[in-house]
């Protein structure tokens, strides 16, 4: 029998419940909500009963989640396929890390602070951050919230080989005033190296010695030095930090250069507060663990294959994209820790957009499609510079959409055009404030949630071999384009021939 058989049966039983009526109960609203580190999770609109919640807690206990948590934080090689430890959380909570790891973190933080204080950086008024994937999304997301505070330098990002984007960004920069931060764990990532080389060529054309402008964050210092980066401008990226978890490392040096070290430290402090909660709270009161189990309920009891994330703050507009990488790259797997087929669904497809804009787009589908898509609302209670009356309207829209998904709307006689079925599940995540501290706590919450789901599913959340296959084939395509190799198949040859013909 499937380990998910019990929760599937419970989900079937719950399908007959009038969830609009259930949400009228104040007791349910109180019982199905938790808060930690300034983040509140209200899951009273999820189709969960006390029985189904107990069954989900049993799933986590059966997965031995506490032992898995202890193994990860102890530095054991829990990334089995690559025989690596997974210690990104130690970057913000070194007191909970092995001693050698804590010492390395301390050294790396000292090197970062020394770089920030370097006198020869005083004339630099802009930062150009070059990276892709995890080396880009985290800093890019956080920069929008950091900008609510003071700014010491302008911050620009390059993550795409699109030449129009490259030229547009460079056109707005003064070559003698810019600091180019190149982020690549191996310093061999093709897209990042190509963008770095383009930036170096631009500096040289404008009479700037690249060694005066380059900073590298990498685990391959030799390769960075070979590319012209001075040794005192190279910051360490340990091999036990995965790219999508690397925001907490020196990868965020660009944020510190632009917004100050204190802003970065607040981000780390908020994440540390969530770490403390995750490590100490019992399962039934553990915010990330419970949210993870709600996701298990969606995927493996109710059969939902998507999850919609809607932040009601424009400064969180990149949150759905950030979570796409975190969740789908981590748990978009089909095999277990031993490489054997799992035989059940894992990570759902995550997408979303900023409320209230998306109310005029895909919310039509959410309310009236036959397919159910669970929604996660993310709403700050307040943040700097917001006109209270407008913020009240924004928050009211978020709450109204959650109510509408639950309550639905009746048909008008025999005409079903305006009918909204209702009974659609959602969670409501609120932040006490949209600032660096609470954003740090929110992102750590999502990391821990993703990890707990991987434990229950019995997979490795920390490798990403599906990312590599396309990159390898891209090299073959480029060689074939230049006549130095054969195309992988006839379709690739045909589309390449058409593009070459039309593009010349």
């Amino acid at each position: 029998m499937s380990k998910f058989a019990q929760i599937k049966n419970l989900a079937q039983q719950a399908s007959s419940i009038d969830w609009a009526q259930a949400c009228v109960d104040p007791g349910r609203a109180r019982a199905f909500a938790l808060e930690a580190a300034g983040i509140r999770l209200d899951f009273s609109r999820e189709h969960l009963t006390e029985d189904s919640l107990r069954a989900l807690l049993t799933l986590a206990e059966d997965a031995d989640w506490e032992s898995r948590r202890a193994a990860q934080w102890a530095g054991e090689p829990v990334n089995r396929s690559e025989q690596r430890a997974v210690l990104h959380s130690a970057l913000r909570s070194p007191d909970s890390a092995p001693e050698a790891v804590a010492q390395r973190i301390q050294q790396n933080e000292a090197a970062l602070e020394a770089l920030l204080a370097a006198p020869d950086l005083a004339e630099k008024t802009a930062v150009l951050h070059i990276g892709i994937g995890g080396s880009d999304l985290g800093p890019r997301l956080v920069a929008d919230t950091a900008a609510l505070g003071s700014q010491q330098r302008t911050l620009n990002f390059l993550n795409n080989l699109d030449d129009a984007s490259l030229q547009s960004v460079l056109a707005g920069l003064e070559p003698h005033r810019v600091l180019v931060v190149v982020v690549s764990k191996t310093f061999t990532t093709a897209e990042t190296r190509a963008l770095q080389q383009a930036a170096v060529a631009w500096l040289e054309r404008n009479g700037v010695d690249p060694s005066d402008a380059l900073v590298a964050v990498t685990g391959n210092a030799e390769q960075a030095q070979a590319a012209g980066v001075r040794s005192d401008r190279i910051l360490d990226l340990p091999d036990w930090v995965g790219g999508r978890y690397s925001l907490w490392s020196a990868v965020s040096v660009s944020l510190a250069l632009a917004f100050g070290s204190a802003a970065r430290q607040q981000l780390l402090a908020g994440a540390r507060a969530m770490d403390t909660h995750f490590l100490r709270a019992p399962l039934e009161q553990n915010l990330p663990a419970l949210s993870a189990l709600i996701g298990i309920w969606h995927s493996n009891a109710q059969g939902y294959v998507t999850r919609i994330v809607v932040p009601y703050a424009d400064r969180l507009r990149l949150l759905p994209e950030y979570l796409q990488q975190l969740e789908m790259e981590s748990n978009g797997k089909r095999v277990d820790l031993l490489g054997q087929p799992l035989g059940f669904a894992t990570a759902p497809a995550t997408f979303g957009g900023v409320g209230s804009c998306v109310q005029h787009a895909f919310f039509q589908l959410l309310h009236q499609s036959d397919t159910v898509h669970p929604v996660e609302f993310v709403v700050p209670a307040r943040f700097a510079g917001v006109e209270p009356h407008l913020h009240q309207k924004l928050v009211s829209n978020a709450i109204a959409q959650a109510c509408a998904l639950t309550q639905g709307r009746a048909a008008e006689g025999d005409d079903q055009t305006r009918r909204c079925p209702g009974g659609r599940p959602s969670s409501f995540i609120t932040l006490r404030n949209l600032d660096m501290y609470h954003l740090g706590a929110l992102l750590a919450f999502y990391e821990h949630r993703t990890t707990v789901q991987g434990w229950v599913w019995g997979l490795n959340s920390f490798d990403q071999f599906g990312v590599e296959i396309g990159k390898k084939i891209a090299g073959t395509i480029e060689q074939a384009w230049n006549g130095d190799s054969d195309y992988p198949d006839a379709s690739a040859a045909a589309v390449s021939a058409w593009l070459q013909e039309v593009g010349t």
Side-chain angles (χ1 to χ4, degrees):
M1 180 180 292
S2 165
K3 68 177 178 179
F4 299 121
Q6 184 183 8
I7 62 170
K8 285 181 178 179
N9 290 335
L10 290 167
Q12 182 62 36
Q13 295 171 24
S15 65
S16 62
I17 295 175
D18 182 340
W19 290 103
Q21 185 60 39
C23 288
V24 172
D25 180 11
R28 179 177 177 86
R30 288 191 299 270
F32 286 72
L34 287 171
E35 181 179 348
I39 308 298
R40 183 178 185 271
L41 170 66
D42 180 340
F43 54 102
S44 59
R45 296 183 187 277
E46 297 289 353
H47 296 181
L48 290 166
T49 64
E50 293 288 353
D51 287 343
S52 54
L53 190 55
R54 279 193 295 270
L56 289 169
L57 295 173
T58 299
L59 276 179
E61 290 164 351
D62 290 347
D64 202 10
W65 81 287
E66 289 182 325
S67 295
R68 291 176 181 269
R69 181 181 61 184
Q72 180 173 321
W73 283 76
E76 294 181 21
V78 295
N79 180 353
R80 296 189 184 183
S81 62
E82 298 175 301
Q83 283 301 298
R84 288 179 181 169
V86 177
L87 287 165
H88 54 270
S89 299
L91 294 164
R92 67 246 180 168
S93 298
D95 291 347
S96 300
E99 184 177 353
V101 171
Q103 290 176 352
R104 184 172 179 181
I105 293 170
Q106 185 178 23
Q107 292 167 357
N108 291 348
E109 286 292 304
L112 188 151
E113 293 295 332
L115 175 67
L116 296 177
D120 57 344
L121 298 189
E123 65 179 17
K124 305 295 185 181
T125 58
V127 178
L128 175 58
H129 181 106
I130 296 177
I132 195 167
S135 299
D136 167 77
L137 266 175
R140 192 186 289 263
L141 164 64
V142 173
D144 285 333
T145 296
L148 289 166
S150 60
Q151 189 159 355
Q152 300 173 3
R153 297 177 176 91
T154 62
L155 179 55
N156 308 268
F157 291 91
L158 271 179
N159 66 352
N160 195 333
L161 290 175
D162 185 333
D163 189 53
S165 175
L166 171 66
Q167 297 306 323
S168 175
V169 171
L170 294 181
L173 297 173
E174 166 57 48
H176 291 82
R177 296 283 189 178
V178 69
L179 197 63
V180 180
V181 178
V182 183
V183 180
S184 175
K185 192 170 186 178
T186 63
F187 225 76
T188 59
T189 304
E191 300 96 328
T192 302
R193 287 302 306 276
L195 290 171
Q196 177 223 340
Q197 290 162 3
V200 165
W202 171 74
L203 290 168
E204 291 176 336
R205 285 197 306 270
N206 287 278
V208 178
D209 183 349
S211 66
D212 292 335
L214 290 173
V215 171
V217 182
T218 183
N220 190 344
E222 290 183 2
Q223 190 72 29
Q225 285 183 276
V229 186
R230 288 169 21 191
S231 60
D232 62 329
R233 297 275 186 88
I234 300 173
L235 299 175
D236 181 36
L237 184 55
D239 65 356
W240 34 259
V241 178
R244 57 193 174 278
Y245 304 100
S246 64
L247 171 67
W248 319 104
S249 71
V251 167
S252 56
V253 66
S254 298
L255 297 170
L257 286 163
F259 305 106
S261 178
R264 179 175 176 270
Q265 291 303 321
Q266 280 295 301
L267 183 78
L268 295 173
R272 184 162 56 249
M274 185 58 72
D275 290 343
T276 300
H277 167 77
F278 178 63
L279 289 172
R280 296 180 181 177
L283 178 61
E284 65 275 10
Q285 298 173 14
N286 197 297
L287 204 66
L290 277 175
S291 187
L293 293 172
I294 293 169
I296 300 289
W297 177 255
H298 289 160
S299 293
N300 304 112
Q302 297 179 292
Y304 301 142
V305 297
T306 55
R307 186 170 68 85
I308 317 301
V309 180
V310 184
Y312 275 73
D314 198 59
R315 292 185 184 275
L316 294 176
R317 61 186 177 274
L318 291 178
L319 182 62
E321 187 177 347
Y322 177 87
L323 293 177
Q324 284 173 348
Q325 183 187 36
L326 173 63
E327 298 174 347
M328 292 196 281
E329 189 168 288
S330 295
N331 290 339
K333 312 287 173 63
R334 56 178 294 277
V335 299
D336 63 17
L337 291 168
L338 300 176
Q340 300 304 306
L342 288 166
F344 51 78
T346 57
T350 300
F351 72 91
V354 176
S356 57
C357 299
V358 295
Q359 295 173 192
H360 299 267
F362 60 73
F363 264 68
Q364 163 63 41
L365 178 145
L366 301 184
H367 285 296
Q368 289 198 307
S369 169
D370 276 340
T371 306
V372 176
H373 306 268
V375 181
E376 187 167 279
F377 296 92
V378 182
V379 183
R382 62 181 184 275
F383 52 97
V386 175
E387 203 281 317
H389 181 63
L390 284 177
H391 188 58
Q392 179 184 346
K393 286 182 176 294
L394 187 67
V395 169
S396 296
N397 270 272
I399 298 171
Q401 289 295 329
C403 290
L405 286 166
T406 302
Q407 294 174 1
R409 180 168 62 181
E412 297 181 359
D414 294 332
D415 184 357
Q416 297 286 313
T417 305
R418 290 174 173 78
R419 179 176 179 266
C420 298
R424 307 271 160 117
S426 66
S427 289
F428 211 90
I429 295 176
T430 46
L431 294 72
R432 286 184 172 267
N433 199 355
L434 181 54
D435 55 19
M436 294 292 274
Y437 178 92
H438 290 90
L439 181 57
L442 180 69
L443 299 184
F445 158 80
Y446 281 123
E447 285 184 357
H448 295 316
R449 178 174 81 175
T450 302
T451 301
V452 172
Q453 287 180 339
W455 292 338
V456 175
W457 282 322
L459 53 80
N460 183 357
S461 297
F462 306 110
D463 60 17
Q464 56 278 328
F465 297 116
V467 173
E468 298 176 3
I469 180 172
K471 291 184 176 183
K472 290 181 178 179
I473 295 175
T476 302
I477 298 288
E478 192 169 352
Q479 290 176 354
W481 186 285
N482 295 322
D484 299 326
S485 177
D486 293 328
Y487 284 100
D489 56 35
S491 294
V495 74
S496 298
W498 188 91
L499 287 167
Q500 285 180 301
E501 179 183 352
V502 173
T504 55

